[in-house]
Amino acid sequence: MTDIEKLELAAHRSNIIEDVHNLIEKYRAIFGWDVPDIDENLANRLILNEVRQALDDIQNK
């Protein structure tokens, strides 16, 4: 990665983090529709694991 890409990434880093956080919240809310007494910590871990797997799949294509 060249310096310009690193600078561009740094400029968007907080947005990327916020987007991922919102994605986790979105799917935790969906879980909550079907599981009223949801364990939020467990749901977060499960969702994060799926996001990591999806990222690995995308990176390996």
Side-chain angles (χ1 to χ4, degrees):
M1 187 175 343
T2 66
D3 289 338
I4 192 70
E5 283 90 353
K6 289 178 184 177
L7 289 171
E8 190 66 16
L9 179 59
H12 294 285
R13 183 169 280 115
S14 64
N15 291 20
I16 293 169
I17 292 168
E18 182 180 350
D19 287 346
V20 172
H21 179 76
N22 290 337
L23 184 67
I24 302 306
E25 286 186 13
K26 172 188 171 181
Y27 283 101
R28 188 180 60 235
I30 293 169
F31 276 34
W33 299 341
D34 296 325
V35 185
D37 296 326
I38 193 166
D39 179 339
E40 289 188 10
N41 289 328
L42 176 59
N44 287 347
R45 286 194 307 271
L46 292 171
I47 296 163
L48 280 169
N49 285 339
E50 286 302 312
V51 169
R52 283 186 185 105
Q53 183 61 53
L55 292 172
D56 287 346
D57 291 348
I58 292 167
Q59 186 173 23
N60 290 328
K61 284 187 178 182

Coordinates of all heavy atoms in Angstrom, one line a residue:
M1 N 0.8 -1.2 0.0 CA 0.0 0.0 0.0 C 0.9 1.2 0.0 O 1.8 1.3 0.8 CB -0.9 0.0 1.2 CG -1.9 1.0 1.3 SD -3.2 1.0 2.6 CE -3.1 -0.6 3.3
T2 N 0.6 2.1 -0.9 CA 1.4 3.4 -0.9 C 0.9 4.4 0.1 O -0.1 4.2 0.7 CB 1.3 4.0 -2.3 OG1 0.0 4.4 -2.5 CG2 1.7 3.0 -3.4
D3 N 1.7 5.4 0.2 CA 1.3 6.4 1.3 C 0.0 7.1 1.0 O -0.8 7.3 2.0 CB 2.4 7.5 1.3 CG 3.7 7.0 1.9 OD1 3.7 6.0 2.6 OD2 4.8 7.6 1.6
I4 N -0.4 7.3 -0.2 CA -1.7 7.9 -0.5 C -2.9 7.0 0.0 O -3.9 7.5 0.5 CB -1.8 8.4 -1.9 CG1 -3.1 9.3 -2.1 CG2 -1.9 7.2 -2.9 CD1 -2.9 10.7 -1.5
E5 N -2.7 5.7 -0.2 CA -3.8 4.8 0.2 C -3.8 4.7 1.7 O -4.9 4.7 2.3 CB -3.6 3.4 -0.4 CG -4.0 3.2 -1.8 CD -2.8 3.5 -2.8 OE1 -1.7 4.0 -2.3 OE2 -3.0 3.3 -4.0
K6 N -2.7 4.8 2.4 CA -2.6 4.8 3.8 C -3.3 6.1 4.4 O -4.1 6.0 5.4 CB -1.2 4.7 4.3 CG -0.6 3.4 4.1 CD 0.9 3.4 4.6 CE 1.5 2.0 4.2 NZ 2.9 2.0 4.6
L7 N -3.1 7.2 3.7 CA -3.7 8.4 4.2 C -5.2 8.4 4.0 O -6.0 8.8 4.8 CB -3.1 9.6 3.4 CG -1.7 10.0 3.8 CD1 -1.2 11.1 2.8 CD2 -1.6 10.5 5.2
E8 N -5.6 7.9 2.8 CA -7.0 7.8 2.6 C -7.7 6.8 3.5 O -8.8 7.1 4.1 CB -7.2 7.3 1.1 CG -8.7 7.3 0.6 CD -9.2 8.7 0.5 OE1 -8.4 9.7 0.5 OE2 -10.4 8.9 0.4
L9 N -7.1 5.7 3.8 CA -7.6 4.8 4.8 C -7.7 5.4 6.2 O -8.8 5.3 6.9 CB -6.8 3.5 4.9 CG -7.2 2.4 5.9 CD1 -8.6 2.0 5.6 CD2 -6.2 1.3 5.9
A10 N -6.7 6.1 6.6 CA -6.7 6.8 7.9 C -7.9 7.8 8.0 O -8.5 7.9 9.0 CB -5.4 7.5 8.1
A11 N -8.2 8.5 6.9 CA -9.2 9.4 6.8 C -10.6 8.8 7.0 O -11.5 9.4 7.5 CB -9.2 10.2 5.5
H12 N -10.7 7.5 6.6 CA -12.0 6.8 6.7 C -12.1 5.8 7.8 O -13.2 5.2 8.0 CB -12.3 6.1 5.4 CG -12.5 7.1 4.2 ND1 -13.6 7.8 4.0 CD2 -11.6 7.4 3.2 CE1 -13.5 8.6 3.0 NE2 -12.3 8.4 2.5
R13 N -11.0 5.7 8.6 CA -11.0 4.6 9.6 C -12.2 4.7 10.6 O -12.8 3.7 10.9 CB -9.6 4.7 10.4 CG -9.5 3.6 11.4 CD -8.1 3.5 12.0 NE -7.3 2.7 11.0 CZ -6.3 3.2 10.3 NH1 -5.9 4.4 10.5 NH2 -5.6 2.4 9.4
S14 N -12.4 5.9 11.1 CA -13.5 6.0 12.1 C -14.9 5.7 11.5 O -15.7 5.1 12.1 CB -13.5 7.4 12.7 OG -13.8 8.4 11.7
N15 N -15.1 6.0 10.2 CA -16.3 5.7 9.5 C -16.4 4.2 9.4 O -17.5 3.6 9.5 CB -16.4 6.3 8.1 CG -16.5 7.8 8.2 OD1 -16.2 8.4 9.2 ND2 -17.0 8.4 7.2
I16 N -15.4 3.5 9.0 CA -15.4 2.1 8.9 C -15.7 1.4 10.2 O -16.6 0.5 10.3 CB -14.0 1.5 8.3 CG1 -13.8 2.0 6.9 CG2 -13.9 0.0 8.4 CD1 -12.4 1.8 6.4
I17 N -15.1 1.9 11.3 CA -15.4 1.3 12.6 C -16.8 1.5 13.0 O -17.5 0.6 13.5 CB -14.4 2.0 13.7 CG1 -13.0 1.5 13.4 CG2 -14.9 1.6 15.1 CD1 -12.0 2.2 14.2
E18 N -17.4 2.7 12.7 CA -18.8 3.0 13.0 C -19.7 2.2 12.2 O -20.7 1.6 12.7 CB -19.1 4.5 12.7 CG -20.5 4.9 13.1 CD -20.8 6.4 12.8 OE1 -19.8 7.1 12.5 OE2 -21.9 6.7 12.9
D19 N -19.4 1.9 10.9 CA -20.2 1.1 10.1 C -20.2 -0.3 10.6 O -21.3 -1.0 10.6 CB -19.7 1.1 8.6 CG -20.0 2.4 7.9 OD1 -20.8 3.2 8.4 OD2 -19.3 2.6 6.8
V20 N -19.1 -0.9 11.0 CA -19.0 -2.2 11.5 C -19.9 -2.3 12.8 O -20.6 -3.3 13.0 CB -17.6 -2.7 11.7 CG1 -17.6 -4.1 12.5 CG2 -16.9 -2.8 10.4
H21 N -19.7 -1.3 13.7 CA -20.5 -1.3 14.9 C -22.0 -1.3 14.6 O -22.7 -2.0 15.2 CB -20.1 0.0 15.7 CG -20.8 0.1 17.0 ND1 -20.6 -0.6 18.1 CD2 -21.8 0.9 17.3 CE1 -21.4 -0.3 19.1 NE2 -22.2 0.7 18.6
N22 N -22.4 -0.5 13.7 CA -23.8 -0.4 13.3 C -24.3 -1.7 12.7 O -25.4 -2.1 12.9 CB -24.0 0.7 12.3 CG -23.9 2.1 13.0 OD1 -24.0 2.2 14.2 ND2 -23.6 3.1 12.2
L23 N -23.4 -2.4 11.9 CA -23.8 -3.7 11.4 C -24.0 -4.7 12.5 O -25.0 -5.5 12.5 CB -22.6 -4.2 10.5 CG -22.9 -5.5 9.7 CD1 -24.0 -5.3 8.7 CD2 -21.6 -5.9 9.0
I24 N -23.1 -4.7 13.5 CA -23.3 -5.6 14.6 C -24.6 -5.3 15.4 O -25.4 -6.2 15.7 CB -22.1 -5.5 15.6 CG1 -20.8 -5.8 14.9 CG2 -22.3 -6.4 16.8 CD1 -20.7 -7.2 14.2
E25 N -24.9 -4.1 15.6 CA -26.1 -3.7 16.3 C -27.4 -4.1 15.4 O -28.4 -4.5 16.0 CB -26.2 -2.2 16.5 CG -25.3 -1.7 17.6 CD -25.4 -0.2 18.0 OE1 -26.4 0.4 17.5 OE2 -24.5 0.3 18.7
K26 N -27.3 -3.9 14.1 CA -28.4 -4.3 13.2 C -28.7 -5.8 13.4 O -29.9 -6.1 13.6 CB -28.0 -4.0 11.8 CG -29.0 -4.5 10.8 CD -28.5 -4.4 9.4 CE -29.4 -5.1 8.4 NZ -28.9 -5.0 7.0
Y27 N -27.7 -6.6 13.3 CA -28.0 -8.1 13.4 C -28.3 -8.5 14.8 O -29.2 -9.4 15.0 CB -26.9 -8.9 12.8 CG -27.0 -8.8 11.3 CD1 -26.1 -8.0 10.6 CD2 -27.9 -9.6 10.6 CE1 -26.3 -7.8 9.2 CE2 -28.0 -9.5 9.2 CZ -27.2 -8.6 8.5 OH -27.3 -8.5 7.2
R28 N -27.8 -7.8 15.9 CA -28.2 -8.1 17.2 C -29.7 -7.8 17.4 O -30.4 -8.6 18.1 CB -27.4 -7.4 18.2 CG -27.6 -7.9 19.7 CD -26.8 -7.2 20.7 NE -27.1 -5.8 20.7 CZ -26.1 -4.9 20.6 NH1 -24.9 -5.2 20.4 NH2 -26.4 -3.6 20.6
A29 N -30.2 -6.7 16.8 CA -31.6 -6.3 16.9 C -32.4 -7.4 16.2 O -33.5 -7.8 16.8 CB -31.8 -5.0 16.3
I30 N -32.0 -7.9 15.1 CA -32.7 -8.9 14.4 C -32.8 -10.2 15.2 O -33.9 -10.8 15.3 CB -32.1 -9.2 13.0 CG1 -32.3 -7.9 12.1 CG2 -32.7 -10.4 12.3 CD1 -31.6 -8.0 10.8
F31 N -31.7 -10.5 15.8 CA -31.7 -11.7 16.7 C -32.7 -11.5 17.8 O -33.4 -12.4 18.2 CB -30.3 -11.8 17.4 CG -29.3 -12.6 16.7 CD1 -29.2 -12.5 15.3 CD2 -28.3 -13.3 17.4 CE1 -28.2 -13.1 14.6 CE2 -27.3 -14.0 16.7 CZ -27.2 -13.9 15.3
G32 N -32.8 -10.3 18.4 CA -33.7 -9.9 19.5 C -35.2 -10.1 19.1 O -36.0 -10.4 20.0
W33 N -35.5 -10.0 17.8 CA -36.9 -10.2 17.4 C -37.3 -11.6 17.6 O -38.4 -11.9 18.0 CB -37.1 -9.9 15.9 CG -36.8 -8.5 15.5 CD1 -36.7 -7.4 16.3 CD2 -36.5 -8.0 14.2 NE1 -36.4 -6.3 15.6 CE2 -36.3 -6.6 14.3 CE3 -36.4 -8.6 13.0 CZ2 -36.0 -5.8 13.2 CZ3 -36.1 -7.9 11.9 CH2 -35.9 -6.5 12.0
D34 N -36.4 -12.6 17.4 CA -36.7 -14.0 17.6 C -36.3 -14.6 19.0 O -36.8 -15.6 19.4 CB -36.0 -14.8 16.5 CG -36.4 -14.5 15.1 OD1 -37.6 -14.2 14.9 OD2 -35.6 -14.5 14.2
V35 N -35.4 -13.9 19.7 CA -34.9 -14.4 21.0 C -35.1 -13.2 22.0 O -34.2 -12.4 22.1 CB -33.5 -14.8 20.9 CG1 -33.0 -15.4 22.2 CG2 -33.2 -15.7 19.7
P36 N -36.3 -13.1 22.6 CA -36.6 -12.0 23.5 C -35.6 -11.8 24.6 O -35.2 -10.6 24.9 CB -37.9 -12.2 24.0 CG -38.5 -13.3 23.1 CD -37.4 -14.0 22.5
D37 N -35.1 -12.8 25.2 CA -34.1 -12.7 26.3 C -32.7 -13.0 25.8 O -31.9 -13.7 26.5 CB -34.5 -13.7 27.4 CG -35.8 -13.4 28.1 OD1 -36.2 -12.2 28.2 OD2 -36.6 -14.4 28.4
I38 N -32.3 -12.3 24.8 CA -31.1 -12.6 24.1 C -29.9 -12.2 25.0 O -29.9 -11.2 25.8 CB -31.0 -11.8 22.8 CG1 -29.8 -12.3 22.0 CG2 -30.9 -10.3 23.0 CD1 -29.9 -11.8 20.5
D39 N -28.9 -13.0 25.0 CA -27.6 -12.7 25.6 C -26.8 -11.8 24.7 O -26.3 -12.3 23.7 CB -26.8 -14.0 25.9 CG -25.5 -13.8 26.6 OD1 -24.9 -12.7 26.5 OD2 -25.0 -14.7 27.2
E40 N -26.8 -10.5 24.9 CA -26.2 -9.6 24.0 C -24.7 -9.8 23.7 O -24.2 -9.7 22.6 CB -26.4 -8.1 24.4 CG -27.8 -7.7 24.3 CD -28.0 -6.2 24.5 OE1 -27.0 -5.5 24.7 OE2 -29.2 -5.8 24.6
N41 N -24.0 -10.2 24.8 CA -22.5 -10.5 24.6 C -22.3 -11.7 23.7 O -21.5 -11.6 22.8 CB -21.9 -10.7 26.0 CG -21.8 -9.4 26.7 OD1 -21.6 -8.3 26.2 ND2 -21.8 -9.5 28.0
L42 N -23.1 -12.7 23.9 CA -23.0 -13.9 23.1 C -23.4 -13.6 21.6 O -22.7 -14.0 20.7 CB -23.8 -15.0 23.6 CG -23.9 -16.3 22.8 CD1 -22.5 -16.9 22.6 CD2 -24.8 -17.3 23.4
A43 N -24.5 -12.9 21.5 CA -24.9 -12.5 20.1 C -23.9 -11.7 19.4 O -23.6 -11.9 18.3 CB -26.2 -11.7 20.2
N44 N -23.3 -10.7 20.1 CA -22.2 -9.9 19.5 C -21.0 -10.8 19.1 O -20.5 -10.6 18.0 CB -21.7 -8.9 20.5 CG -22.6 -7.7 20.8 OD1 -23.6 -7.6 20.0 ND2 -22.4 -7.0 21.8
R45 N -20.6 -11.7 19.9 CA -19.5 -12.6 19.5 C -19.8 -13.5 18.3 O -19.0 -13.6 17.4 CB -19.1 -13.5 20.7 CG -18.3 -12.8 21.8 CD -17.7 -13.7 22.8 NE -18.6 -14.7 23.4 CZ -19.3 -14.5 24.5 NH1 -19.2 -13.3 25.2 NH2 -20.1 -15.4 25.0
L46 N -21.1 -14.0 18.3 CA -21.5 -14.8 17.2 C -21.5 -14.0 15.9 O -21.0 -14.5 14.8 CB -22.9 -15.4 17.4 CG -22.9 -16.5 18.6 CD1 -24.4 -16.8 18.8 CD2 -22.1 -17.7 18.2
I47 N -22.1 -12.8 16.0 CA -22.1 -12.0 14.8 C -20.7 -11.6 14.3 O -20.4 -11.6 13.1 CB -23.0 -10.7 15.1 CG1 -24.5 -11.2 15.3 CG2 -23.0 -9.8 13.9 CD1 -25.3 -10.1 16.0
L48 N -19.9 -11.2 15.3 CA -18.5 -10.8 14.9 C -17.8 -12.0 14.3 O -17.0 -11.7 13.3 CB -17.7 -10.3 16.2 CG -18.0 -8.9 16.6 CD1 -17.4 -8.7 18.0 CD2 -17.5 -7.9 15.6
N49 N -18.0 -13.2 14.7 CA -17.3 -14.3 14.1 C -17.8 -14.5 12.7 O -17.0 -14.8 11.8 CB -17.6 -15.6 14.9 CG -16.8 -15.7 16.2 OD1 -15.8 -15.0 16.3 ND2 -17.3 -16.4 17.1
E50 N -19.1 -14.3 12.4 CA -19.6 -14.3 11.0 C -19.0 -13.2 10.2 O -18.7 -13.5 9.0 CB -21.1 -14.3 11.0 CG -21.7 -15.6 11.5 CD -21.3 -16.8 10.7 OE1 -21.4 -16.7 9.4 OE2 -21.0 -17.8 11.3
V51 N -18.9 -12.0 10.7 CA -18.3 -10.9 10.0 C -16.9 -11.2 9.6 O -16.4 -11.0 8.5 CB -18.4 -9.6 10.8 CG1 -17.6 -8.5 10.1 CG2 -19.9 -9.2 10.9
R52 N -16.1 -11.8 10.6 CA -14.7 -12.2 10.3 C -14.6 -13.2 9.2 O -13.8 -13.1 8.4 CB -14.1 -12.7 11.6 CG -13.7 -11.6 12.6 CD -12.9 -12.2 13.8 NE -12.7 -11.2 14.7 CZ -13.3 -11.0 15.9 NH1 -14.2 -11.9 16.3 NH2 -13.1 -10.0 16.7
Q53 N -15.5 -14.2 9.3 CA -15.5 -15.2 8.3 C -15.8 -14.7 6.9 O -15.2 -15.0 5.9 CB -16.5 -16.3 8.6 CG -16.6 -17.5 7.7 CD -15.2 -18.2 7.6 OE1 -14.7 -18.6 8.6 NE2 -14.7 -18.4 6.4
A54 N -16.8 -13.8 6.9 CA -17.2 -13.1 5.6 C -16.0 -12.3 5.1 O -15.7 -12.4 3.9 CB -18.4 -12.2 5.8
L55 N -15.3 -11.6 5.9 CA -14.1 -10.8 5.5 C -13.0 -11.8 5.0 O -12.4 -11.5 4.0 CB -13.6 -10.0 6.7 CG -14.5 -8.8 7.1 CD1 -13.9 -8.2 8.4 CD2 -14.6 -7.8 6.0
D56 N -12.8 -12.9 5.7 CA -11.8 -13.8 5.2 C -12.2 -14.4 3.8 O -11.3 -14.5 2.9 CB -11.7 -15.0 6.2 CG -11.0 -14.6 7.5 OD1 -10.3 -13.5 7.5 OD2 -11.1 -15.4 8.5
D57 N -13.5 -14.7 3.7 CA -13.9 -15.2 2.4 C -13.7 -14.2 1.3 O -13.2 -14.6 0.2 CB -15.4 -15.6 2.4 CG -15.7 -16.8 3.3 OD1 -14.7 -17.5 3.7 OD2 -16.9 -17.0 3.7
I58 N -14.0 -13.0 1.5 CA -13.9 -11.9 0.6 C -12.4 -11.7 0.2 O -12.0 -11.6 -0.9 CB -14.5 -10.6 1.1 CG1 -16.0 -10.7 1.1 CG2 -14.1 -9.4 0.2 CD1 -16.7 -9.6 1.9
Q59 N -11.5 -11.7 1.3 CA -10.1 -11.5 1.0 C -9.5 -12.7 0.2 O -8.6 -12.4 -0.6 CB -9.4 -11.4 2.4 CG -7.9 -11.0 2.3 CD -7.3 -10.7 3.6 OE1 -7.8 -11.2 4.6 NE2 -6.2 -10.0 3.6
N60 N -10.0 -13.9 0.4 CA -9.4 -15.0 -0.3 C -9.9 -15.2 -1.7 O -9.5 -16.1 -2.4 CB -9.7 -16.3 0.5 CG -8.9 -16.3 1.8 OD1 -7.8 -15.8 1.9 ND2 -9.5 -16.9 2.9
K61 N -10.9 -14.4 -2.1 CA -11.4 -14.5 -3.5 C -10.5 -13.8 -4.5 O -9.7 -12.9 -4.3 CB -12.8 -13.9 -3.6 CG -13.8 -14.8 -3.0 CD -15.2 -14.2 -3.3 CE -16.2 -15.2 -2.7 NZ -17.6 -14.7 -3.0

